[in-house]
């Protein structure tokens, strides 16, 4: 179950078309200089930086596919060439977008395009460089924050990838970390840690047509660019998880999807092995071994609801009071625990020293001869009522 190259190009173009135009016009020289360093290891920048209306590694897209009809640029990009003293060359391609998820979408879609082209069928995404990266087909690509970068050797595509990784790490250290993690939607896919290496993430897509061959159900999904999706292989099944950013959009699509499934059933056309709405998610399983197995996959999806008030939170006072009570209770318990532990510690130390002193005194008494007129006991004449004895009448030592 793989994308065709044309579908991937169309999907990536649709993703990029949804990015807003806050980064309009061409980036200035100062901005480009901040993104692209003068040196990368032993390589130095040669020539002027070249602003680009779009730069996607290996020419996956053309500049015309990512501009609006009015010609507004929806992201900022640049490329540069670096040369070492030995004459080696590096080609660096850089794209800056608005969200971390957009950069991750570029990475996963580009990796899938390389797999389908046969250049790197075993290509997998890892965390060796930046937030996520892949190495293969004579290049290394990574994203960190809102920046997507590819580094390749145009003269020697079979160059040592370990060296390219070293240069990529030096480059990545200059970039902002951003969120520093994969999009949350990826982590809500069943077995996400096992399938993330080959997952394809589509940020702000407008259409999912063609991501699974011969599945017309995906044509009815309308997102208006306000939804994200992740596509993974679950064994022999294809799993698609769509997140709509509003419950209204999720509800409208759910009704359209259910109606379309009924039509496909009646017409004898292909339809999903299982479908279900989970919160604002729409989960699809295609080509599963059985409907039960497909539903078991969807059962593993967990939707984590997040409520965000557009204005003032009407429950703000109750929240602050609850936090105050919890903090006060925590401080009280901490003080009680600390006091109790201190008392126990003091009693233990006092008891230990007391036992040592008592044992020492008792051993001294046992080894020392004592003479007393009180049956071996000491008696103090504090009240001076006992008359003093006549020393001449006492038996002397050894008599």
């Amino acid at each position: 179950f793989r994308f065709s190259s044309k579908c991937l190009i169309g999907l990536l173009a649709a993703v990029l078309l949804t990015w807003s135009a806050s980064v309009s016009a061409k980036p200035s020289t100062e901005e480009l200089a901040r993104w692209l360093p003068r040196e990368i290891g032993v390589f130095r920048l040669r020539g002027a930086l070249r602003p680009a209306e779009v730069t996607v590694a290996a020419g996956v897209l053309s500049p015309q596919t990512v501009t609006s009809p009015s010609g507004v640029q929806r992201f900022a990009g640049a490329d540069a060439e670096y040369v070492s003293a030995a004459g080696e060359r590096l080609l660096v391609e850089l794209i800056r977008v608005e969200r971390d998820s957009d950069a991750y979408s570029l990475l996963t879609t580009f990796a899938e395009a390389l797999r389908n082209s046969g250049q790197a069928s075993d290509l997998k995404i890892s965390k060796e460089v930046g937030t996520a990266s892949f190495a293969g087909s004579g290049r290394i690509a990574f994203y960190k924050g809102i920046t997507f970068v590819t580094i390749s050797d145009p003269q020697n595509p079979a160059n040592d990838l370990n060296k390219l990784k070293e240069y990529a790490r030096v480059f990545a250290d200059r970039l902002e970390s951003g969120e520093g993690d994969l999009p949350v939607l990826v982590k809500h896919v069943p077995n996400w840690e096992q399938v993330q290496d080959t997952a394809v993430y589509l940020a702000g897509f407008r259409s999912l047509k063609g991501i699974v061959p011969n599945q017309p159900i995906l044509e009815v999904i309308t997102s208006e660019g306000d939804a994200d999706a992740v596509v993974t292989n679950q064994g022999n099944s294809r799993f698609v998880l769509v997140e709509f950013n509003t419950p209204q959009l999720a509800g409208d699509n759910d009704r359209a999807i259910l109606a379309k499934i009924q039509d496909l059933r009646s017409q004898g056309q292909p339809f999903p092995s299982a479908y279900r709405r989970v919160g604002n998610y729409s989960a699809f399983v295609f080509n599963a071994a059985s409907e039960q197995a497909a539903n078991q996959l969807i059962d593993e999806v967990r939707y984590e609801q997040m409520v965000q008030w557009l204005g003032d939170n009407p429950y703000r006072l109750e929240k602050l009071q609850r936090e105050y009570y919890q903090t006060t209770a925590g401080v009280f318990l901490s003080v009680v625990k600390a006091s109790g532990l201190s008392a126990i510690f003091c009693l233990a130390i006092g008891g230990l020293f007391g036992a040592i002193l008592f044992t020492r005194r008792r051993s001294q008494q046992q080894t020392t001869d004592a003479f007393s007129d009180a049956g071996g006991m000491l008696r103090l004449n504090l009240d001076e009522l006992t008359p003093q004895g006549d020393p001449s009448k006492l038996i002397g030592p050894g008599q």
Side-chain angles (χ1 to χ4, degrees):
F1 309 105
R2 295 187 177 277
F3 295 104
S4 67
S5 298
K6 292 183 178 179
C7 288
L8 275 170
I9 292 174
L11 281 171
L12 190 54
V15 169
L16 290 172
L17 280 169
T18 62
W19 299 338
S20 63
S22 64
V23 187
S24 60
K26 294 184 179 180
S28 66
T29 304
E30 291 77 10
E31 291 173 325
L32 293 175
R34 186 170 65 250
W35 302 338
L36 291 165
R38 303 294 300 179
E39 296 181 359
I40 304 179
V42 297
F43 289 83
R44 292 182 61 85
L45 180 66
R46 186 178 74 172
L49 302 181
R50 299 186 294 272
E53 293 188 3
V54 59
T55 305
V56 177
V60 174
L61 293 177
S62 63
Q64 291 77 17
T65 59
V66 289
T67 54
S68 66
S70 61
V72 175
Q73 184 174 327
R74 300 188 181 273
F75 64 95
D79 61 5
E81 187 177 55
Y82 291 81
V83 181
S84 69
E88 297 175 307
R89 296 170 56 196
L90 287 181
L91 177 62
V92 176
E93 296 179 317
L94 177 147
I95 293 178
R96 285 175 65 89
V97 290
E98 292 189 339
R99 303 179 302 172
D100 291 24
S101 59
D102 296 329
Y104 177 66
S105 178
L106 280 174
L107 180 73
T108 60
T109 309
F110 180 48
E112 184 70 6
L114 292 179
R115 295 189 199 101
N116 293 340
S117 66
Q119 300 181 49
S121 59
D122 58 345
L123 198 63
K124 293 185 178 181
I125 295 176
S126 66
K127 295 184 178 181
E128 289 188 82
V129 182
T131 305
S133 64
F134 71 80
S137 187
R139 64 172 57 84
I140 181 169
F142 69 92
Y143 94 95
K144 185 178 180 182
I146 61 174
T147 306
F148 170 69
V149 179
T150 66
I151 300 178
S152 60
D153 185 347
Q155 292 180 322
N156 183 17
N159 195 358
D160 186 3
L161 291 178
N162 290 327
K163 291 184 178 179
L164 293 180
K165 289 179 183 178
E166 293 178 7
Y167 303 140
R169 292 189 181 97
V170 174
F171 195 107
D173 290 340
R174 297 174 55 94
L175 302 175
E176 308 96 334
S177 299
E179 297 176 1
D181 200 0
L182 302 181
V184 175
L185 183 61
V186 177
K187 298 183 179 181
H188 290 179
V189 172
N191 307 314
W192 75 272
E193 293 181 338
Q194 288 74 39
V195 302
Q196 64 172 323
D197 293 342
T198 56
V200 178
Y201 187 81
L202 304 173
F205 70 88
R206 286 189 175 274
S207 173
L208 293 178
K209 182 179 179 180
I211 62 170
V212 180
N214 196 29
Q215 289 295 341
I217 187 63
L218 297 174
E219 299 177 9
V220 304
I221 297 177
T222 57
S223 68
E224 301 176 358
D226 197 19
D228 302 326
V230 59
V231 186
T232 62
N233 288 323
Q234 302 283 346
N236 295 324
S237 304
R238 194 72 164 169
F239 186 87
V240 179
L241 186 63
V242 181
E243 180 184 17
F244 298 98
N245 292 329
T246 65
Q248 293 78 11
L249 191 58
D252 294 342
N253 278 274
D254 180 59
R255 289 185 287 271
I257 291 169
L258 292 175
K260 184 65 174 179
I261 290 176
Q262 295 297 328
D263 292 342
L264 294 175
R265 285 179 183 271
S266 61
Q267 297 173 12
Q269 298 185 29
F271 57 89
S273 302
Y275 162 76
R276 191 185 310 165
R277 178 186 175 187
V278 184
N280 283 357
Y281 291 165
S282 289
F284 301 84
V285 181
F286 299 96
N287 306 312
S290 64
E291 184 178 356
Q292 180 181 4
N295 282 312
Q296 287 178 350
L297 280 177
I298 298 181
D299 289 340
E300 298 181 28
V301 176
R302 295 291 181 269
Y303 176 72
E304 297 179 0
Q305 185 180 14
M306 181 182 68
V307 178
Q308 183 176 2
W309 297 96
L310 299 180
D312 294 334
N313 185 353
Y315 302 102
R316 184 170 179 270
L317 179 59
E318 288 83 349
K319 180 181 178 181
L320 293 176
Q321 289 177 340
R322 184 167 57 254
E323 292 177 352
Y324 173 77
Y325 296 148
Q326 291 174 349
T327 303
T328 304
V331 171
F332 177 76
L333 290 176
S334 299
V335 171
V336 171
K337 290 180 180 179
S339 301
L341 291 175
S342 299
I344 293 174
F345 179 77
C346 293
L347 290 174
I349 295 297
L352 177 63
F353 280 100
I356 294 174
L357 184 61
F358 176 80
T359 304
R360 184 171 179 274
R361 293 287 179 84
R362 181 55 59 90
S363 63
Q364 289 178 347
Q365 290 179 358
Q366 291 177 352
T367 59
T368 302
D369 293 332
F371 297 95
S372 172
D373 60 353
M377 296 185 298
L378 297 178
R379 185 175 184 278
L380 300 178
N381 187 20
L382 299 178
D383 51 6
E384 298 182 355
L385 297 177
T386 304
Q388 296 294 329
D390 186 358
S392 61
K393 295 182 179 181
L394 297 178
I395 299 174
Q399 296 181 5

Coordinates of all heavy atoms in Angstrom, one line a residue, residues 23 25-38 40 49 51-52 73 75-79 82 92 94-97 146-147 149 171-172 174-176:
V23 N 4.6 34.7 6.1 CA 6.0 34.9 5.6 C 5.8 35.3 4.2 O 5.9 34.4 3.3 CB 6.8 33.6 5.8 CG1 8.2 33.9 5.4 CG2 6.7 33.1 7.2
A25 N 6.5 37.7 0.7 CA 7.6 38.2 -0.1 C 8.8 37.4 0.1 O 8.8 36.4 0.8 CB 7.8 39.7 0.3
K26 N 9.9 37.8 -0.5 CA 11.1 37.1 -0.4 C 11.9 37.4 0.9 O 11.9 38.6 1.3 CB 12.0 37.3 -1.6 CG 11.4 36.8 -2.9 CD 12.3 37.0 -4.1 CE 11.7 36.5 -5.4 NZ 12.6 36.7 -6.5
P27 N 12.5 36.4 1.5 CA 13.3 36.7 2.7 C 14.4 37.6 2.4 O 15.0 37.6 1.4 CB 13.7 35.4 3.2 CG 13.7 34.5 2.0 CD 12.6 35.0 1.1
S28 N 14.8 38.5 3.4 CA 15.9 39.4 3.2 C 17.2 38.6 3.4 O 17.3 37.5 3.9 CB 15.8 40.5 4.3 OG 16.0 39.9 5.6
T29 N 18.3 39.3 3.0 CA 19.6 38.7 3.1 C 20.0 38.4 4.5 O 20.6 37.4 4.8 CB 20.7 39.6 2.4 OG1 20.3 39.9 1.1 CG2 22.0 39.0 2.4
E30 N 19.6 39.3 5.4 CA 19.9 39.2 6.8 C 19.2 37.9 7.4 O 19.8 37.1 8.1 CB 19.5 40.4 7.6 CG 20.3 41.6 7.3 CD 19.9 42.3 6.0 OE1 18.9 41.9 5.5 OE2 20.7 43.2 5.6
E31 N 18.0 37.7 7.0 CA 17.2 36.5 7.4 C 17.9 35.2 6.9 O 18.0 34.2 7.6 CB 15.8 36.6 7.0 CG 15.0 37.7 7.7 CD 13.6 37.8 7.2 OE1 13.4 37.7 5.9 OE2 12.7 38.1 7.9
L32 N 18.2 35.2 5.6 CA 18.9 34.1 5.1 C 20.2 33.8 5.7 O 20.6 32.6 6.0 CB 19.1 34.3 3.6 CG 17.8 34.4 2.7 CD1 18.2 34.7 1.3 CD2 17.1 33.1 2.8
A33 N 21.0 34.8 6.0 CA 22.2 34.6 6.7 C 22.1 34.0 8.1 O 22.9 33.2 8.6 CB 23.0 35.9 6.8
R34 N 21.0 34.3 8.8 CA 20.7 33.7 10.1 C 20.3 32.3 10.0 O 20.6 31.5 10.8 CB 19.6 34.5 10.7 CG 19.3 34.1 12.2 CD 18.4 35.0 12.9 NE 17.0 35.0 12.3 CZ 16.5 36.0 11.7 NH1 17.2 37.1 11.4 NH2 15.3 35.9 11.2
W35 N 19.7 31.9 8.9 CA 19.3 30.5 8.7 C 20.4 29.6 8.2 O 20.6 28.5 8.6 CB 18.1 30.4 7.7 CG 16.9 31.2 8.1 CD1 16.6 31.6 9.4 CD2 15.9 31.6 7.3 NE1 15.4 32.3 9.3 CE2 15.0 32.3 8.1 CE3 15.7 31.6 5.9 CZ2 13.8 32.9 7.6 CZ3 14.5 32.1 5.4 CH2 13.6 32.8 6.2
L36 N 21.2 30.2 7.3 CA 22.3 29.4 6.7 C 23.6 29.9 7.2 O 24.0 31.0 6.9 CB 22.2 29.5 5.1 CG 21.0 28.8 4.5 CD1 20.8 29.3 3.1 CD2 21.2 27.3 4.5
P37 N 24.4 29.1 7.9 CA 25.7 29.6 8.5 C 26.7 29.7 7.4 O 26.7 29.2 6.3 CB 26.0 28.4 9.5 CG 25.4 27.2 8.9 CD 24.1 27.7 8.2
R38 N 27.8 30.5 7.8 CA 28.9 30.7 6.9 C 29.7 29.4 6.8 O 30.4 29.2 5.7 CB 29.8 31.9 7.3 CG 29.0 33.2 7.5 CD 28.5 33.7 6.2 NE 29.6 34.0 5.2 CZ 29.4 34.5 4.0 NH1 28.1 34.7 3.6 NH2 30.4 34.7 3.2
I40 N 30.0 25.1 7.8 CA 29.5 23.8 8.3 C 30.7 22.9 8.4 O 31.1 22.3 7.4 CB 28.4 23.2 7.4 CG1 27.3 24.2 7.2 CG2 27.9 21.9 8.0 CD1 26.2 23.7 6.3
L49 N 23.9 33.7 -1.0 CA 22.8 32.9 -0.7 C 21.7 33.2 -1.8 O 21.5 34.3 -2.2 CB 22.2 33.2 0.6 CG 23.2 33.0 1.8 CD1 22.5 33.4 3.1 CD2 23.7 31.6 1.9
P51 N 17.9 33.1 -2.5 CA 16.5 33.0 -2.1 C 15.7 32.2 -3.1 O 15.9 32.2 -4.3 CB 16.0 34.4 -2.0 CG 17.2 35.3 -2.0 CD 18.2 34.5 -2.8
A52 N 14.8 31.4 -2.6 CA 13.9 30.6 -3.4 C 12.5 30.7 -3.1 O 12.1 30.7 -1.9 CB 14.4 29.1 -3.3
Q73 N 3.8 34.3 -1.5 CA 4.6 33.2 -1.0 C 4.1 32.8 0.3 O 4.0 33.6 1.2 CB 6.0 33.7 -1.0 CG 7.0 32.6 -0.6 CD 8.4 33.1 -0.7 OE1 8.8 33.9 -1.5 NE2 9.3 32.6 0.2
F75 N 5.7 30.5 2.4 CA 6.8 30.1 3.2 C 8.0 30.7 2.8 O 8.0 31.5 1.8 CB 6.9 28.5 3.2 CG 7.3 28.0 1.8 CD1 8.7 27.8 1.5 CD2 6.4 27.8 0.9 CE1 9.0 27.4 0.3 CE2 6.7 27.4 -0.4 CZ 8.1 27.2 -0.7
A76 N 9.1 30.5 3.4 CA 10.4 31.1 3.0 C 11.4 30.0 2.8 O 11.5 29.0 3.6 CB 10.9 32.0 4.1
G77 N 12.2 30.1 1.8 CA 13.2 29.0 1.5 C 14.5 29.6 0.9 O 14.5 30.7 0.4
A78 N 15.5 28.8 1.0 CA 16.8 29.2 0.4 C 17.6 28.0 0.1 O 17.4 27.0 0.7 CB 17.5 30.2 1.4
D79 N 18.6 28.2 -0.8 CA 19.6 27.1 -1.0 C 21.0 27.7 -1.0 O 21.1 28.9 -1.3 CB 19.3 26.2 -2.2 CG 19.3 27.1 -3.5 OD1 19.6 28.3 -3.4 OD2 18.9 26.5 -4.5
Y82 N 28.2 24.8 -0.4 CA 29.3 24.9 0.5 C 30.5 24.1 -0.1 O 30.3 23.0 -0.6 CB 29.0 24.3 1.9 CG 28.0 25.2 2.7 CD1 26.7 25.1 2.5 CD2 28.5 26.0 3.7 CE1 25.8 25.9 3.2 CE2 27.6 26.8 4.4 CZ 26.3 26.8 4.1 OH 25.4 27.5 4.9
V92 N 22.9 22.5 0.3 CA 22.0 22.6 1.4 C 20.7 23.3 0.9 O 20.8 24.3 0.3 CB 22.6 23.5 2.6 CG1 21.6 23.6 3.7 CG2 23.9 22.8 3.1
L94 N 16.9 24.5 2.3 CA 16.2 24.9 3.5 C 14.9 25.5 3.3 O 14.7 26.3 2.3 CB 17.1 25.9 4.3 CG 16.6 26.4 5.6 CD1 17.7 26.7 6.6 CD2 15.8 27.7 5.4
I95 N 13.9 25.0 4.1 CA 12.5 25.6 4.0 C 12.1 25.9 5.4 O 12.2 25.1 6.3 CB 11.5 24.6 3.4 CG1 11.9 24.4 1.9 CG2 10.1 25.1 3.5 CD1 11.0 23.4 1.2
R96 N 11.6 27.1 5.6 CA 11.0 27.5 6.9 C 9.5 27.7 6.7 O 9.1 28.4 5.8 CB 11.6 28.8 7.4 CG 13.1 28.5 8.0 CD 13.7 29.8 8.4 NE 13.1 30.4 9.5 CZ 13.4 30.2 10.8 NH1 14.3 29.3 11.1 NH2 12.8 30.8 11.8
V97 N 8.7 27.1 7.6 CA 7.3 27.1 7.5 C 6.8 27.8 8.8 O 7.5 28.4 9.6 CB 6.7 25.7 7.3 CG1 7.0 25.2 5.9 CG2 7.2 24.7 8.4
I146 N 10.5 24.9 13.1 CA 9.8 25.2 11.9 C 10.7 25.1 10.6 O 10.3 25.6 9.6 CB 9.1 26.5 12.0 CG1 10.2 27.6 12.1 CG2 8.1 26.6 13.1 CD1 9.6 29.0 12.1
T147 N 11.8 24.4 10.7 CA 12.8 24.4 9.6 C 13.0 23.0 9.1 O 13.2 22.0 9.9 CB 14.2 25.0 10.1 OG1 14.0 26.3 10.6 CG2 15.1 25.1 8.9
V149 N 15.4 20.8 6.4 CA 16.7 21.0 5.8 C 17.1 19.6 5.1 O 16.8 18.6 5.7 CB 17.8 21.4 6.8 CG1 19.1 21.5 6.1 CG2 17.4 22.7 7.4
F171 N 24.7 21.9 11.7 CA 23.7 22.8 11.2 C 22.5 22.9 12.1 O 22.0 23.9 12.4 CB 23.2 22.3 9.8 CG 22.5 23.3 9.0 CD1 23.0 24.0 7.9 CD2 21.2 23.7 9.3 CE1 22.3 24.9 7.2 CE2 20.5 24.6 8.6 CZ 21.0 25.2 7.6
A172 N 22.0 21.7 12.6 CA 20.9 21.6 13.5 C 21.1 22.4 14.8 O 20.1 22.9 15.3 CB 20.5 20.2 13.7
R174 N 22.2 25.1 15.3 CA 22.0 26.6 15.1 C 20.5 26.9 15.0 O 20.1 28.1 15.1 CB 22.7 27.1 13.8 CG 24.2 26.9 13.8 CD 24.7 27.3 12.4 NE 24.3 28.7 12.0 CZ 24.9 29.8 12.2 NH1 26.1 29.7 12.8 NH2 24.5 30.9 11.8
L175 N 19.7 25.9 14.9 CA 18.2 26.1 14.7 C 17.4 26.1 16.0 O 17.9 25.5 17.0 CB 17.7 25.1 13.8 CG 18.3 25.0 12.4 CD1 17.7 23.8 11.6 CD2 18.2 26.3 11.6
E176 N 16.3 26.8 16.0 CA 15.4 26.8 17.2 C 14.8 25.4 17.3 O 14.5 24.7 16.4 CB 14.3 27.8 17.0 CG 14.8 29.2 16.7 CD 14.8 29.5 15.2 OE1 14.8 28.5 14.4 OE2 14.7 30.7 14.8

